[in-house]
């Protein structure tokens, strides 16, 4: 390695005796441990330490300890003086700073100088050096230092009384006895050998018991096996796939098992990657060092498992934790279970961090597939609208306008699981403590302001226990931590988000903490949740106790027959006012209530107050308003009667406020004057609230005109207000039919924002996504390449075979339709697809417009197209009639069809009147008894039809056309230039609003 008289620098790794050191290089040019050299101090003879089963020479231990304490781990300079090939040893001079180590050893009496008389050249080289050593030795002898002690019996006393070694043959070694005597107590020891990164052999002081210790909670890479038989104990723990320590490990083999294994196969096994590096890491820190060992346990093979601590200056280091943190050992569950919980968590967290950073032995680590992903920068504040279960809330986001359905966000509490609440419609009963968990959150949170920190999303499939509609269905759930702001005022309160609701649930034994896998997203407050669970277990609270949850039977009249509901009416009539809890808002004026006193749930509706029905304007606003105002609140009710469907009718108070007033004041409900007002408590207050909304022209009263009277059904007289919408036309179908979008509708902006925020990847792999007829998807519109919600109208039979397979789609927010390739289709999240389509089907009221196949049908379509479709052209659509029979148009989806009078903002006459004037439409046939509103409208339109008839314009060019009694007109032959195919429809710039 080096020529003589050449000096080198190195570091002392080990001291094997009073005159021998192991030195490693300070730097290296290749990966792995640096090179090392064993040097015996020239011309010295130190007392020999006992080998296994032997006896020390006098003062051998003290000699070794002097040199060990003097230079272990320190930087030195050395040179090789000579070699003795016969014994394969190198002798040299070693300097610690400016001090000659050999001189220091001799000067303190711990070695004697070998007399000259060996090789002539060698003696000549070392002669001045030896002469100095002999002088120093003589002085040590005279002073009685070290081995030259003149104290009677000192030599005999210096010989250690070594107990039998526990290494190699541990049959008589009482490992359990040692553990019982020393459990949890640090034992002083000196490390004599490092077998591998996580296995050391030590002398336990002061008895000098020689034992082998496996570092608790981890395993370093194996050093392999030599072809010769090995008779010492070695750890042999099965490695888990991909380096994961969660697999079931085996304990280390006994020496007998090791002998059998080596006898069966003497094939050499190479070391694992990073094994040498891990061993050197441990040697550099603890070999020949003073350490403290805390025994954690003993395995079934009588092996000691312990934690190893060493000191660097004033700092105490944990060898096991350092090995794991540096990617040189993996966490092992079976031995980690012997440790304290805090130390176990640190090891696990250190390994997880190394896996994430791919450190050393984890450099090729591939994380397991996860169904969760982190959510960033989505914290918000809001009011709790609904408690779905003990681990799920609905919070209305403060940043979204009040009353908007889009404000409500469902938040599942991160990293906890409460008992399932069940579903009475599927005959699923609540699990034990499910009701208690939900009720605890309801009383704690409903209507309260909370801070929400969103943390991760998780895709839930049927295999996870979610009930879905199809075998391949899945849904995405958002998880976060919810905090109830502290009542304490000041800077300290502002710095913290508040009380963690999940922690409260766990601490009361109303839920459990989810044990996440590695790399699975979890709560940012996971440690606090585990601590709360430990307290609940110690206190035997809730589901952590052996007690059964209180039995509770609830009669659900919402799923029972109407007769059973009527049978309950007398018992509910006995009390003037009944306490109840609003379980669910079914519509703006209809609710599901739970009555604790009667332990029953009922359907309840306001007497004399009605909101728009489902799908009608402002119905969703009414539901959102009542969810914000009374959902899951404690209320009082007075029941008057029960209707034929089993719904109880009456009045409700939230606090001292009649709940119906919330609707009437907001303009999203009307009083029913046909219902006896004298039977409604506080009817005068409700009428005042309705009058206030009318005066302010709110919502359904937007176009209210005082004093308009119409006959309703020929018997009752009431003021009737026609609904008026502000719209833009998005698609013209022909035959007087078209689609519109409402201007200023918050739903339009919300849907457009959601679509804009989507991150669309490549086209789905053929076969991975097979949309069926009626499915809602995202489709790319061919004219401007924008992505929009669409319904599949027609799809290939069976699975899609090619990216170019064609699917016919209907754009539910615009009303147009086209055929697109499979590559222009994407699946859409439920949160985006669940909102109803924004396109509303309309027709021109009181007119008969020729279809595209009839004479003047293309001209009528072209005219309607030209006057309605344009850049941002707005109209007022007065709703004259509603056709709820389905509104079916071939290939165009279904829905309520509105018959409207369409008036441009800057025009004097309506589009209806203009088409009559142009002779491309005619009026409906009058009936003998017409509503006076309709009669007035027809009278106003008739003058425009008469004008076209007299001037023989359009359809009147040959005089009067056929009788209205006939259902159809003759189909003309193609050739007049606008439409030639049954399958071609008029299409406008339907994306002009985007």
């Amino acid at each position: 390695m080096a020529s003589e008289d050449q000096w080198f620098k190195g570091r002392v790794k080990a001291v094997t005796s009073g005159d021998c050191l192991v030195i490693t290089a300070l730097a290296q040019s290749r990966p792995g441990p640096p090179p090392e050299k064993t040097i015996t101090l020239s011309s010295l003879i130190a007392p020999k330490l006992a080998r296994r089963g032997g006896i020390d020479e006098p003062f051998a231990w003290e000699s070794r300890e002097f040199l060990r304490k003097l230079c272990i781990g320190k930087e030195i300079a050395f040179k090789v003086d000579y070699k003795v090939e016969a014994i394969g040893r190198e002798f040299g001079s070693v300097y610690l700073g400016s001090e000659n180590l050999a001189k220091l050893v001799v000067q303190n009496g711990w070695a004697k100088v070998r007399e000259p008389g060996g090789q002539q050249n060698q003696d000549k080289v070392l002669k001045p050096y030896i002469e100095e050593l002999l002088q120093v030795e003589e002085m040590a002898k005279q002073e009685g230092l070290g081995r030259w002690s003149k104290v009677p019996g000192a030599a005999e006393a210096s010989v250690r009384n070594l107990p039998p070694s526990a290494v190699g043959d541990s049959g008589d070694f009482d490992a359990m006895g040692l553990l019982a005597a020393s459990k949890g107590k640090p034992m002083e020891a000196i490390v004599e050998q490092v077998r591998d990164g996580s296995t050391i052999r030590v002398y336990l002081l002061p008895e000098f018991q020689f034992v082998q210790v496996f570092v608790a909670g981890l395993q370093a890479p194996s050093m392999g096996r030599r072809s010769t038989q090995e008779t010492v104990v070695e750890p042999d723990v099965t490695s888990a796939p991909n380096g994961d320590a969660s697999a079931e490990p085996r304990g280390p083999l006994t020496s007998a098992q090791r002998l059998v294994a080596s006898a069966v196969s003497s094939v050499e096994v190479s070391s694992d990657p990073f094994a040498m590096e891990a061993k050197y890491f441990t040697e550099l820190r603890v070999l020949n060092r003073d350490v403290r060992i805390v025994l954690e346990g003993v395995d079934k093979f009588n092996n000691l498992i312990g934690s190893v601590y060493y000191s660097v200056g004033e700092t105490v280091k944990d060898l096991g934790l350092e090995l794991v943190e540096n990617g040189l050992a993996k966490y092992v569950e079976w031995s980690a279970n012997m440790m304290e919980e805090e130390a176990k968590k640190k090891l696990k967290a250190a390994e997880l961090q190394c896996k994430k950073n791919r450190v050393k032995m984890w450099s090729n680590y591939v994380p397991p597939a996860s169904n969760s992903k982190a959510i960033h920068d989505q914290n918000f504040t809001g009011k709790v609208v609904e408690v779905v279960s003990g681990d799920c809330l609905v919070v209305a986001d403060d940043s979204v306008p009040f009353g908007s359905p889009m404000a409500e966000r469902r938040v599942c509490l991160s990293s906890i699981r409460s008992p399932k609440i069940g579903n009475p419609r599927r005959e699923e009963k609540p699990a034990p403590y499910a009701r208690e968990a939900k009720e605890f959150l309801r009383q704690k949170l409903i209507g309260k302001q909370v801070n929400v920190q969103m943390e991760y999303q998780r895709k839930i499939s049927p295999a996870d226990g979610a009930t879905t509609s199809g075998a391949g269905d899945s849904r995405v759930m958002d998880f976060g931590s919810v905090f109830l702001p502290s009542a304490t005022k000041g800077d300290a309160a502002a710095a913290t988000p508040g009380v963690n609701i999940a922690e409260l649930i766990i601490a009361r034994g109303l839920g459990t903490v989810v044990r996440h896998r590695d790399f699975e997203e979890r709560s940012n407050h996971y440690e606090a949740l585990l601590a709360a669970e430990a307290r609940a277990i110690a206190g035997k609270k809730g589901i952590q106790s052996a007690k059964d949850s209180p039995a509770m039977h609830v009669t659900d009249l919402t799923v029972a027959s109407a007769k059973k509901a009527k049978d309950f009416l007398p018992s509910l009539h006995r009390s003037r006012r009944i306490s109840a809890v609003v379980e669910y808002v079914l519509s703006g004026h209809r609710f599901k209530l739970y009555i604790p006193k009667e332990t029953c749930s009922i359907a309840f509706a306001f007497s004399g107050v009605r909101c728009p029905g489902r799908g009608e304007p402002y119905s969703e606003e009414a539901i959102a308003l009542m969810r914000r105002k009374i959902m899951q609140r404690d209320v009082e009710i007075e029941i008057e009667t029960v209707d034929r469907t089993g719904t109880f009718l009456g009045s409700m108070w939230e606090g001292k406020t009649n709940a119906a007033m919330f609707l009437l004041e907001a303009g999203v409900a009307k009083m029913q004057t046909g219902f006896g007002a004298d039977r409604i408590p506080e009817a005068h207050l409700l009428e005042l609230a309705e009058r206030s909304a009318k005066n302010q022209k709110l919502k359904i009263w937007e176009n209210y005109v005082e004093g308009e009277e119409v006959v309703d059904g020929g018997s009752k007289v009431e003021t009737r207000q026609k609904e008026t919408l502000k719209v833009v036309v998005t698609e013209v179908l022909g035959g007087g039919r078209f689609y519109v979008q409402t201007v200023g509708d918050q739903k339009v902006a919300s849907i457009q924002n959601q679509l804009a925020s989507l991150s669309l990847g490549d086209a789905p792999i053929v076969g991975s996504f097979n949309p069926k007829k009626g499915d809602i998807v995202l489709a790319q519109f061919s004219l401007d390449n924008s992505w929009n919600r669409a319904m599949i109208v027609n799809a290939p039979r069976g699975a899609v075979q090619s990216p170019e397979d064609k699917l016919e789609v209907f754009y539910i927010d615009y009303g147009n339709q086209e055929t697109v390739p499979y590559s222009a289709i994407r699946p859409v999240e439920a949160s985006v697809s669940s909102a109803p389509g924004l396109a509303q089907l309309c027709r021109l009221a009181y007119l008969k417009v020729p279809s595209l196949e009839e004479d003047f049908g293309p001209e009528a379509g072209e005219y309607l197209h030209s006057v309605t479709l344009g850049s941002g052209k707005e109209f007022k659509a007065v709703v004259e009639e509603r056709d709820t029979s389905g509104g079916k148009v071939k290939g165009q989806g279904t829905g309520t069809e509105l018959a409207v009078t369409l008036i441009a903002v800057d025009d004097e006459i309506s589009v209806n009147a203009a088409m009559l004037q142009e002779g491309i439409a005619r009026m409906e046939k009058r009936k003998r008894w017409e509503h006076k509103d309709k009669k007035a409208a027809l009278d106003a339109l008739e003058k425009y039809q008469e004008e076209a008839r007299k001037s023989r314009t359009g359809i009147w060019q040959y005089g009067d056309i056929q009788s209205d009694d006939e259902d159809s007109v003759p189909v003309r032959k193609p050739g007049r230039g606008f439409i030639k195919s049954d399958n071609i429809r008029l299409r406008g710039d339907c994306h002009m609003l985007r």
Side-chain angles (χ1 to χ4, degrees):
M1 171 176 156
S3 61
E4 295 179 6
D5 294 329
Q6 184 177 359
W7 288 89
F8 297 92
K9 288 187 176 182
R11 191 180 304 279
V12 178
K13 185 182 88 169
V15 177
T16 58
S17 68
D19 60 359
C20 188
L21 309 95
V22 179
I23 303 169
T24 63
L26 295 179
Q28 56 181 341
S29 58
R30 58 185 179 181
E36 62 183 45
K37 181 180 283 291
T38 301
I39 296 291
T40 302
L41 297 177
S42 298
S43 303
L44 296 192
I45 301 175
K48 292 183 176 60
L49 286 166
R51 293 181 179 274
R52 189 178 299 172
I55 299 175
D56 289 344
E57 289 184 359
F59 300 104
W61 179 255
E62 289 84 352
S63 175
R64 200 289 292 265
E65 283 297 275
F66 173 78
L67 187 59
R68 181 182 73 85
K69 292 178 180 178
L70 184 65
C71 63
I72 190 71
K74 294 181 180 178
E75 189 175 323
I76 51 88
F78 73 97
K79 73 180 178 71
V80 177
D81 294 328
Y82 60 92
K83 300 177 184 177
V84 178
E85 300 293 347
I87 58 175
R89 295 175 69 180
E90 294 180 308
F91 294 82
S93 300
V94 181
Y95 277 78
L96 178 64
S98 61
E99 298 285 346
N100 184 342
L101 279 185
K103 182 180 177 181
L104 292 174
V105 171
V106 174
Q107 189 174 4
N108 286 275
W110 296 120
K112 65 181 180 179
V113 181
R114 187 176 59 80
E115 295 291 342
Q119 299 178 10
Q120 204 169 34
N121 291 339
Q122 170 190 312
D123 290 342
K124 185 177 181 181
V125 170
L126 298 175
K127 186 174 180 181
Y129 171 74
I130 293 173
E131 288 176 355
E132 184 183 7
L133 292 180
L134 287 172
Q135 291 175 8
V136 174
E137 181 184 47
E138 188 59 34
M139 292 175 62
K141 285 180 180 179
Q142 292 176 7
E143 295 177 17
L145 299 178
R147 64 177 296 172
W148 311 115
S149 175
K150 298 174 183 179
V151 177
E156 292 80 4
S158 69
V159 177
R160 295 176 298 166
N161 180 19
L162 296 175
S165 171
V167 176
D169 185 6
S170 58
D172 297 329
F173 175 54
D174 185 10
M176 291 302 297
L178 180 62
L179 175 66
S182 308
K183 174 72 173 174
K185 300 176 184 176
M187 296 188 296
E188 301 291 335
I190 296 176
V191 178
E192 289 298 305
Q193 184 184 354
V194 175
R195 298 249 11 263
D196 58 48
S198 58
T199 310
I200 59 175
R201 291 173 176 175
V202 303
Y203 277 124
L204 296 178
L205 301 179
E207 286 82 10
F208 292 101
Q209 190 161 26
F210 193 54
V211 298
Q212 182 164 271
V213 178
F214 294 92
V215 182
L218 58 109
Q219 182 188 3
S222 170
M223 291 295 295
R225 184 174 65 227
R226 293 174 295 179
S227 58
T228 55
Q229 292 184 357
E230 181 69 50
T231 60
V232 295
V233 180
E234 283 191 1
D236 187 7
V237 181
T238 303
S239 295
N242 203 17
D244 196 334
S246 61
E248 184 65 24
R250 294 181 301 163
L253 298 177
T254 63
S255 56
Q257 292 170 322
R258 183 66 181 155
L259 282 169
V260 171
S262 61
V264 172
S265 174
S266 61
V267 178
E268 183 173 348
V269 177
S270 61
S271 62
D272 291 341
F274 298 101
M276 290 297 297
E277 191 171 343
K279 182 181 178 184
Y280 176 71
F281 183 93
T282 300
E283 286 177 337
L284 198 61
R285 285 154 178 78
V286 300
L287 181 58
N288 284 170
R289 310 291 181 101
D290 295 307
V291 296
R292 286 189 176 94
I293 295 177
V294 178
L295 292 183
E296 308 287 0
V298 174
D299 69 8
K300 60 184 178 181
F301 299 112
N302 227 26
N303 294 312
L304 294 174
I305 314 293
S307 298
V308 180
Y309 301 93
Y310 67 96
S311 298
V312 178
E314 298 297 322
T315 307
V316 177
K317 302 274 190 175
D318 182 346
L319 175 64
L321 184 59
E322 285 206 314
L323 280 165
V324 175
E325 285 178 337
N326 285 275
L328 295 172
K330 66 179 179 179
Y331 174 82
V332 178
E333 187 78 30
W334 68 270
S335 64
N337 287 336
M338 301 176 183
M339 305 169 67
E340 291 184 357
E341 194 64 32
E342 190 63 30
K344 178 180 174 181
K345 288 177 186 175
K346 285 182 179 179
L347 281 181
K348 185 68 175 172
E351 182 190 63
L352 183 60
Q353 192 60 44
C354 282
K355 287 178 177 178
K356 287 181 178 178
N357 297 334
R358 291 184 167 86
V359 179
K360 297 292 176 65
M361 63 184 291
W362 305 111
S363 56
N364 297 317
Y365 181 75
V366 179
S370 174
N371 62 350
S372 62
K373 66 176 182 179
I375 299 177
H376 301 290
D377 303 322
Q378 284 197 27
N379 299 347
F380 67 97
T381 60
K383 186 173 287 187
V384 177
V385 174
E386 180 183 358
V387 175
V388 180
S389 65
D391 55 11
C392 185
L393 310 170
V394 176
V395 183
D397 191 340
D398 287 340
S399 64
V400 181
F402 178 84
S404 169
M406 306 307 295
E408 296 187 4
R409 298 181 63 175
R410 181 177 286 242
V411 181
C412 299
L413 300 179
S414 298
S415 298
I416 75 166
R417 184 176 292 119
S418 280
K420 293 184 177 179
I421 200 67
N423 189 327
R425 294 186 181 277
R426 293 196 294 266
E427 298 183 355
E428 294 176 2
K429 294 183 178 179
Y433 293 99
R435 283 197 182 99
E436 288 79 0
K438 181 177 179 180
E439 181 61 15
F440 169 75
L441 284 191
R442 186 189 74 83
Q443 293 185 3
K444 195 81 177 174
L445 296 180
I446 202 70
K448 300 287 182 64
Q449 194 77 7
V450 293
N451 301 320
V452 183
Q453 295 179 357
M454 299 308 299
E455 289 164 334
Y456 61 93
Q457 284 184 333
R458 187 179 173 207
K459 185 172 285 187
I460 307 296
S461 63
D464 297 316
T467 303
T468 52
S469 58
D473 291 340
S474 63
R475 58 194 176 102
V476 175
M477 299 174 68
D478 293 340
F479 290 80
S481 293
V482 178
F483 298 88
L484 190 61
S486 173
T488 307
K489 296 183 179 179
D491 295 338
T496 57
V499 180
N500 189 345
I501 298 304
E503 196 174 338
L504 292 182
I505 284 285
I506 297 298
R508 283 162 175 74
L510 298 175
T512 56
V513 179
V514 176
R515 264 52 184 182
H516 294 284
R517 297 175 299 170
D518 285 352
F519 289 88
E520 196 170 57
E521 297 295 335
R522 64 194 65 197
S523 169
N524 295 333
H525 310 275
Y526 192 69
E527 299 301 324
L529 297 179
L530 290 173
E533 186 177 52
R535 294 196 299 271
I537 293 172
K540 296 183 178 179
K541 295 183 178 179
I543 58 179
Q544 308 294 357
S545 69
K547 299 177 183 177
D548 293 331
S549 63
M552 184 177 180
H553 176 71
V554 177
T555 304
D556 193 346
L557 297 177
T558 63
V559 295
S561 64
K563 181 181 182 302
K564 190 170 183 179
K566 290 176 181 177
D567 292 341
F568 261 77
L569 183 61
S571 63
L572 298 178
H573 253 318
R574 293 191 190 105
S575 302
R576 180 66 178 168
R577 287 197 181 185
I578 306 169
S579 296
V581 177
V582 180
E583 285 193 321
Y584 201 76
V585 176
L586 302 170
S587 71
H589 62 265
R590 190 167 179 268
F591 319 96
K592 181 180 180 181
L593 307 182
Y594 169 64
I595 303 176
K597 185 178 179 181
E598 303 292 337
T599 62
C600 68
S601 294
I602 65 170
F604 176 88
F606 290 135
S607 295
V609 176
R610 286 295 175 268
C611 296
R614 288 273 185 178
E616 295 181 1
Y618 305 114
S619 66
E620 295 296 325
E621 285 86 340
I623 292 172
L625 175 65
M626 296 311 282
R627 282 177 63 81
R628 187 78 71 97
K629 291 291 188 181
I630 66 168
M631 179 71 178
Q632 293 188 332
R633 307 290 181 93
D634 293 309
V635 297
E636 288 186 321
I637 58 172
E638 282 186 12
I639 292 177
E640 299 166 14
T641 186
V642 61
D643 67 13
R644 57 186 178 82
T645 66
T647 298
F648 291 86
L649 304 178
S651 299
M652 176 193 298
W653 289 265
E654 199 277 318
K656 295 182 179 180
T657 305
N658 190 315
M661 290 183 66
F662 298 136
L663 297 166
L664 294 168
E665 286 175 340
V668 290
K670 294 180 180 180
M671 290 282 290
Q672 282 187 322
T673 55
F675 192 98
D678 56 326
R679 294 164 53 190
I680 304 175
E682 301 180 343
H684 64 291
L685 296 177
L686 301 182
E687 289 170 354
L688 286 174
E690 184 183 53
R691 173 59 55 189
S692 173
K694 286 180 179 179
N695 292 340
Q696 297 177 65
K697 297 185 181 296
L698 299 178
K699 305 293 183 182
I700 61 177
W701 307 110
E702 182 180 6
N703 297 298
Y704 171 73
V705 178
E706 186 74 32
E708 286 191 357
E709 302 248 343
V710 296
V711 177
D712 185 7
S715 58
K716 303 182 183 73
V717 177
E718 64 177 359
T719 302
R720 180 184 174 192
Q721 171 62 32
K722 292 182 180 180
E723 182 184 356
T724 303
L725 306 174
K726 192 175 183 181
V727 300
V728 292
V729 178
T730 58
E731 174 76 350
V732 173
L733 307 179
R737 283 179 166 80
F738 51 94
Y739 276 96
V740 300
Q741 269 188 2
T742 305
V743 175
D745 191 344
Q746 292 173 354
K747 295 178 190 174
V748 177
S750 176
I751 291 295
Q752 289 175 343
N753 290 338
Q754 280 184 290
L755 292 174
S757 66
L758 293 177
S759 178
L760 297 172
D762 297 332
I765 299 170
V766 173
S768 66
F769 170 58
N770 287 298
K772 305 181 294 297
K773 186 175 181 179
D775 286 355
I776 301 298
V777 297
L778 288 180
Q780 190 173 28
F781 186 54
S782 60
L783 293 185
D784 61 5
N785 294 327
S786 63
W787 291 90
N788 305 278
R789 300 190 303 165
M791 177 192 294
I792 301 296
V793 175
N794 204 356
R797 290 189 176 182
V800 174
Q801 302 296 324
S802 163
E804 299 307 315
D805 281 3
K806 302 296 184 182
L807 299 94
E808 194 172 1
V809 298
F810 169 66
Y811 295 103
I812 62 175
D813 296 325
Y814 296 93
N816 50 342
Q817 185 168 323
E818 68 175 342
T819 300
V820 297
Y822 177 78
S823 59
I825 298 288
R826 299 287 188 276
V828 62
E829 295 181 0
S831 60
V832 178
S833 64
S834 59
L838 304 176
Q840 171 64 57
L841 180 61
C842 298
R843 64 177 170 85
L844 295 173
Y846 311 135
L847 302 190
K848 284 194 173 183
V849 181
S851 67
L852 297 178
E853 296 84 8
E854 298 172 345
D855 281 337
F856 294 97
E859 286 83 347
E862 187 172 19
Y863 179 85
L864 188 57
H865 180 280
S866 64
V867 299
T868 58
L869 289 171
S871 181
K873 186 179 287 188
E874 293 181 0
F875 293 85
K876 183 171 71 172
V878 181
V879 180
E880 309 290 355
E881 296 174 3
R882 287 177 178 270
D883 180 6
T884 58
S885 61
K888 294 184 180 179
V889 176
K890 185 178 180 181
Q892 292 291 318
T894 62
T896 300
E897 184 183 72
L898 304 183
V900 300
T901 298
L902 196 64
I903 308 168
V905 175
D906 52 354
D907 282 356
E908 295 181 0
I909 64 172
S910 66
V911 174
N912 309 48
M915 292 191 71
L916 290 172
Q917 197 174 42
E918 292 292 327
I920 48 178
R922 60 195 177 98
M923 291 173 56
E924 290 180 350
K925 180 185 176 185
R926 289 177 181 264
K927 296 178 181 176
R928 180 174 296 180
W929 300 107
E930 293 284 7
H931 191 284
K932 76 173 189 177
D933 270 3
K934 185 174 180 178
K935 184 176 182 295
L938 291 172
D939 288 343
L941 290 173
E942 192 163 16
K943 63 180 180 179
Y944 297 101
Q945 178 171 287
E946 280 301 310
E947 183 180 336
R949 191 201 306 263
K950 289 177 181 178
S951 61
R952 295 187 179 273
T953 304
I955 59 178
W956 309 105
Q957 63 180 338
Y958 301 117
D960 286 356
I961 57 175
Q962 84 232 21
S963 167
D964 282 332
D965 294 332
E966 295 179 35
D967 293 329
S968 62
V969 295
V971 177
R972 76 166 185 183
K973 296 179 181 179
R976 295 190 62 173
F978 186 65
I979 294 293
K980 293 186 179 182
S981 169
D982 290 346
N983 297 322
I984 298 177
R985 298 179 296 102
L986 297 173
R987 185 183 306 279
D989 184 14
C990 54
H991 286 242
M992 62 188 175
L993 300 177
R994 302 179 208 182

